[in-house]
Amino acid sequence: MNSNTSSQPLIAIKKLLKIYKTPAGDFTAVKGVDVEVQRGEFVAVIGKSGSGKSTFINMITGIDRPTSGEIMIGGEPVHSFNEAQMAAWRGRNLGIVFQFFQLFPTLTILENVILPMELNDLYTKSERKARAMHLLSKVEMTEQAYKLPSMISGGQQQRVAIARALANDPPLIVADEPTGNLDSKTAAKIFSLFEDLVASGKTILMVTHDSDLARRANRTILISDGEIVNEYLVRALSKLTQDQLVEVTRNVQPQIFQPGATIVRQGEVGDKFYILLDGKADVYLSEPGGSQVYVNQLKRGEYFGEMALLGGGLRTATVKASNDAPVSVAALDDMAFNQLIATSYTLRTELTGLIQQRSVYDQLQAVSSSLTAKTLAAALENTDSVTYQAGREIVKQGDVGTTFYFLLEGKVDILVKDEQGKDELVNQLTKGTYFGEMALMGDSRRMATVRVSKGRTAKVVELNMQEFEKLIAASEQFKQNISKVAGVRKKELEGSGKRKVKK
Ligand code: ADP
Ligand code: MG
């Protein structure tokens, strides 16, 4: 392959079509698909039996020929090769692994691995043997080298087939259900061999029936009735089984929004769930004054609109198409959405978890808009919110403080002890403020008590010292902001204390 094409995708497929002529008439097995695969990617090809996976794969390997369309691999037009060109190209550029191993039964294991080098006249005779032994050692088959295929197990035969596929050191390995004829434990071992190959720089395209294995690949291409289902839709719904995925894709309506267009509006009744397929979407929260605060950006494969459908009904944020490019979404109406979460327990759990996380996250982002979404996300990873009941003391004056609090909802009283040691109310904080920063910024003893106001609850996010420091370190503006607030508060608290003393 040309080395000067390394910035291009390794595989570029355009409008690939395969029509089988059958006695019953024409049958379109692959319906004009477009795919790109980058160097070093591990791509899992999934789909129901009969969906067209093998037809698709066989056109890439040249085992089958397209009716029309283009297959460029490493810059070369594989679709237009004649048989001789195809054989020569394949021998040097492609390793193929089949479901039923397809080793030559009359050749030893070693001879099977040497064969591709002979056929393509690569390496010297002595190099060939050394190389084959080396490849067999990589798949732990050295001891079987002089046996015939019939003398070893299926899993072992597949190891040999992988060694054979590597014989000519091809950049691309294509495998059609290589674990389909193996028990799950053996399948897992074979699969990890493929993972090793990707780690060593190979590009792999693998058809698999096994959803769990497919999830371990970099990308999943789902074929349904000869068509490729949008990859970002598949990614967003990776918790579904293949059958559920195919079912859902039948219910989605594609929609395009122009740059800047509003997709959902805060406060409106939500009746659709969206999966972002192309472009970026910006999330805003409306402030009581009417202004909008930018809180997050969503990318391809992420979804939104689930909060209104699973939660209370009203949109909790506004989502707009970003200004730079149109946004393409897959929209599911509430019926399709409810069906979706009814069929998948794992997806429902994920969505419910996401709602909790998102509402916390969005509010925090609104509070401290000087932080980038990424910074905040990193600091809040694995952080849950905690709700305190009315009258609960969250922070006690005089204690050593190691926690920083963001107040998401509710109201807290700030109390300082007077000379009789009685708590005196000096301030109240509401949603969108933080406390506990002073003890973390130098004065290690809490200077005030923070207690949930009467008749209210307080929902807070708690950050420990390390998380707090990470946050401070990540945003200079946030650091300045918080130092200023801490300074002002300290003066206030000291002032109130002095007044008490003088009195
Ligand atoms: P998969 O690998 O996903 O199970 P295939 O690519 O083998 O699917 O087959 C896709 C469809 O094309 C099936 O309906 C199959 O019956 C049909 N098909 C495959 N090969 C031929 C052929 N040589 N002639 C006619 N139809 C075929
Ligand atoms: Mg097949």
Side-chain angles (χ1 to χ4, degrees):
M1 288 189 196
N2 299 331
S3 55
N4 62 355
T5 56
S6 57
S7 60
Q8 291 170 351
L10 178 61
I11 306 178
I13 294 173
K14 289 203 184 91
K15 295 196 168 67
L16 185 65
L17 179 77
K18 179 67 184 183
I19 300 174
Y20 287 117
K21 304 272 175 207
T22 75
D26 286 358
F27 178 80
T28 309
V30 172
K31 299 177 178 166
V33 304
D34 297 309
V35 186
E36 283 190 355
V37 176
Q38 308 301 323
R39 284 181 166 73
E41 280 190 314
F42 187 172
V43 182
V45 179
I46 62 171
K48 288 185 175 182
S49 175
S51 58
K53 303 181 297 296
S54 294
T55 305
F56 171 69
I57 282 286
N58 289 345
M59 289 190 283
I60 294 170
T61 56
I63 292 172
D64 207 343
R65 291 315 185 96
T67 304
S68 65
E70 235 182 48
I71 303 174
M72 302 294 290
I73 303 183
E76 301 193 69
V78 173
H79 57 281
S80 67
F81 285 165
N82 62 31
E83 286 311 315
Q85 287 172 318
M86 182 60 90
W89 174 82
R90 192 193 290 149
R92 286 161 192 265
N93 294 291
L94 190 63
I96 308 181
V97 181
F98 302 94
Q99 182 176 355
F100 295 102
F101 331 128
Q102 260 118 309
L103 300 175
F104 278 98
T106 56
L107 298 182
T108 64
I109 299 310
L110 179 62
E111 289 164 345
N112 264 283
V113 180
I114 290 175
L115 189 63
M117 300 184 240
E118 284 178 355
L119 290 176
N120 293 282
D121 202 18
L122 290 168
Y123 311 101
T124 66
K125 234 182 173 153
S126 58
E127 276 172 352
R128 285 174 195 159
K129 186 177 169 192
R131 181 169 170 74
M133 286 307 285
H134 169 69
L135 291 171
L136 285 173
S137 77
K138 279 219 279 195
V139 297
E140 293 171 29
M141 287 300 296
T142 319
E143 280 164 32
Q144 329 286 335
Y146 296 96
K147 290 184 182 165
L148 290 175
S150 58
M151 296 167 72
I152 60 177
S153 70
Q156 290 177 320
Q157 289 188 55
Q158 198 59 305
R159 287 173 180 278
V160 175
I162 291 171
R164 178 184 59 182
L166 294 170
N168 296 340
D169 197 24
L172 176 64
I173 312 282
V174 175
D176 194 348
E177 307 211 25
T179 62
N181 201 38
L182 304 172
D183 65 80
S184 61
K185 210 173 142 199
T186 312
K189 279 191 189 154
I190 293 291
F191 191 86
S192 45
L193 275 180
F194 282 100
E195 285 177 325
D196 294 344
L197 296 182
V198 174
S200 76
K202 302 285 184 204
T203 306
I204 296 186
L205 209 56
M206 180 197 285
V207 176
T208 178
H209 247 104
D210 189 325
S211 300
D212 291 332
L213 292 183
R215 273 189 254 281
R216 283 161 60 180
N218 303 132
R219 277 172 66 190
T220 302
I221 291 181
L222 169 64
I223 301 189
S224 170
D225 285 339
E227 288 178 294
I228 291 180
V229 176
N230 184 290
E231 237 175 284
Y232 295 97
L233 184 60
V234 174
R235 191 178 296 180
L237 300 173
S238 62
K239 293 278 161 16
L240 299 182
T241 65
Q242 294 184 23
D243 285 350
Q244 288 167 344
L245 250 170
V246 169
E247 184 56 34
V248 170
T249 57
R250 296 210 170 103
N251 288 316
V252 304
Q253 308 143 3
Q255 262 179 279
I256 305 276
F257 290 89
Q258 292 310 311
T262 299
I263 306 171
V264 308
R265 196 183 300 275
Q266 185 170 342
E268 286 186 355
V269 176
D271 61 351
K272 279 200 181 80
F273 170 68
Y274 298 91
I275 296 163
L276 193 59
L277 302 181
D278 203 9
K280 290 176 192 142
D282 296 322
V283 184
Y284 297 88
L285 289 187
S286 302
E287 294 276 81
S291 64
Q292 290 193 323
V293 188
Y294 168 79
V295 291
N296 198 8
Q297 186 164 65
L298 302 175
K299 298 177 298 296
R300 298 197 284 196
E302 295 189 301
Y303 35 62
F304 57 95
E306 78 288 348
M307 286 161 93
L309 292 185
L310 272 176
L314 295 187
R315 298 294 189 195
T316 55
T318 294
V319 181
K320 291 181 183 179
S322 291
N323 279 323
D324 46 345
V327 159
S328 152
V329 296
L332 265 82
D333 63 22
D334 46 3
M335 237 176 71
F337 177 75
N338 286 327
Q339 221 170 22
L340 179 67
I341 57 172
T343 52
S344 173
Y345 170 78
T346 47
L347 185 67
R348 189 168 64 247
T349 318
E350 177 179 290
L351 286 170
T352 321
L354 194 73
I355 286 186
Q356 154 88 354
Q357 232 177 22
R358 277 208 175 146
S359 59
V360 166
Y361 174 83
D362 286 354
Q363 287 183 44
L364 288 186
Q365 183 64 10
V367 169
S368 47
S369 38
S370 56
L371 287 174
T372 66
K374 225 170 138 185
T375 313
L376 201 55
L380 293 178
E381 208 180 18
N382 308 322
T383 310
D384 287 329
S385 66
V386 184
T387 301
Y388 291 98
Q389 300 305 314
R392 243 318 271 286
E393 247 171 39
I394 303 175
V395 163
K396 197 183 178 68
Q397 185 177 348
D399 280 359
V400 176
T402 56
T403 307
F404 171 74
Y405 304 84
F406 266 112
L407 184 57
L408 295 173
E409 271 166 32
K411 202 176 205 179
V412 295
D413 298 342
I414 309 296
L415 307 145
V416 177
K417 290 197 187 311
D418 64 16
E419 66 263 38
Q420 275 98 39
K422 279 185 79 179
D423 284 334
E424 186 92 358
L425 181 70
V426 296
N427 199 358
Q428 283 190 319
L429 302 178
T430 51
K431 167 182 167 172
T433 43
Y434 49 81
F435 56 91
E437 78 289 349
M438 278 182 274
L440 296 186
M441 296 196 69
D443 300 288
S444 71
R445 300 244 166 221
R446 300 294 190 189
M447 295 187 66
T449 292
V450 180
R451 186 185 294 153
V452 183
S453 302
K454 235 188 194 156
R456 305 293 297 265
T457 60
K459 188 170 166 189
V460 299
V461 165
E462 307 184 344
L463 299 186
N464 65 28
M465 191 89 88
Q466 283 91 347
E467 290 166 327
F468 178 72
E469 276 165 6
K470 216 159 76 181
L471 210 56
I472 295 270
S475 169
E476 183 56 32
Q477 208 185 335
F478 181 64
K479 186 176 168 182
Q480 285 176 11
N481 201 328
I482 213 163
S483 315
K484 217 164 83 189
V485 170
V488 170
R489 283 183 177 169
K490 192 171 175 192
K491 275 207 188 99
E492 275 173 13
L493 293 179
E494 282 168 355
S496 78
K498 278 199 195 101
R499 278 199 303 279
K500 300 271 178 296
V501 176
K502 277 180 191 158
K503 202 163 60 177

